Amino acid sequence: MGVGCVMVNRSISKQTLLRLPLYLNYMKQLGENTPEHISATTIAEALRLNHVVVRKDLAAVSSAGKPKVGYNTEALIAELEEFLGYNDVDDAIIVGAGKLGKALLTYGGFKDCGMNIVAAFDIDEEVCEEDYGGKRILTMDKLMDLCERMRVRIGIIAVPAENAQAICNLLIESGILAIWNFAPVHLDVPEGILVHNENLAASLALLSKQLKEKLDANT
């Protein structure tokens, strides 16, 4: 457990969980300008968030904050990394080695988040059995064996929507317990299987709508 940390509430909302990495990334990017102590208000102002929300979020992770002093920055970073599981490296695989799959395969930031992409898999034999950014792209027939042998528990789906459910079923059969789904389709999974949907089209639509509203308000 992090420095100065006592028992805190581990039952937090999804909204809080989504904000915690923002605080962590902000503090880690300060570099030489990192202060010895940092307050919730400082973080809130830097990220343009409500300081009350940030204070409550941090209190859910650490009880080491002091009035008028704030948190020891180094200790708070360590507590956030531990809480978010960044210190525990989880192996993962990607199914689908198209443009999105290859981009995910070579993204170096995953290691900072505690995830190690072991390999990617694809049905196109022309892209298989090659190194891409130091990572292997393998044929689909090797997926189950690798997952079982390395005890991989995280699967990333980056295939077209019409193939996503079949891939999902294969991943579960191979022992995968958590799925990060980039295909724009709902996946049917048994109870106990975790699924997070990353719908890029929906996110773009929301961003476009918000931009239109902003432009309309300024005219």
Side-chain angles (χ1 to χ4, degrees), residues 92-95 105 116-121 135-138 146 150 152 156:
I93 61 166
I94 297 173
V95 182
L105 184 63
N116 174 47
I117 305 297
V118 175
F121 295 85
K135 301 286 186 176
R136 296 284 288 174
I137 301 177
L138 305 173
L146 183 142
M150 299 188 66
V152 178
I156 302 173

Side-chain angles (χ1 to χ4, degrees), residues 43-180:
I43 296 174
E45 291 177 350
L47 299 177
R48 297 184 179 180
L49 297 172
N50 185 293
H51 66 92
V52 175
V53 171
V54 176
R55 186 173 294 111
K56 288 182 177 179
D57 289 347
L58 295 179
V61 177
S62 173
S63 61
K66 298 179 180 179
K68 298 182 180 181
V69 176
Y71 296 85
N72 178 282
T73 308
E74 183 178 348
L76 182 58
I77 288 174
E79 287 181 297
L80 284 169
E81 287 181 332
E82 180 182 349
F83 186 88
L84 294 169
Y86 286 12
N87 296 328
D88 303 317
V89 176
D90 290 314
D91 287 336
I93 61 166
I94 297 173
V95 182
K99 292 182 179 179
L100 175 59
K102 287 179 178 177
L104 295 172
L105 184 63
T106 56
Y107 176 58
F110 284 142
K111 283 192 174 181
D112 295 332
C113 302
M115 185 167 69
N116 174 47
I117 305 297
V118 175
F121 295 85
D122 202 279
I123 60 173
D124 185 357
E125 295 185 358
E126 290 187 3
V127 302
C128 291
E129 305 303 333
E130 66 178 38
D131 285 334
Y132 193 86
K135 301 286 186 176
R136 296 284 288 174
I137 301 177
L138 305 173
T139 54
M140 292 296 297
D141 61 317
K142 296 182 179 180
L143 187 150
M144 183 175 294
D145 176 69
L146 183 142
C147 288
E148 293 177 347
R149 178 165 42 85
M150 299 188 66
R151 296 185 179 180
V152 178
R153 295 294 178 260
I154 300 176
I156 302 173
I157 295 179
V159 301
E162 60 268 22
N163 304 121
Q165 185 62 57
I167 294 301
C168 175
N169 296 343
L170 176 60
L171 290 175
I172 294 171
E173 187 179 353
S174 303
I176 294 295
L177 299 176
I179 295 173
W180 193 5

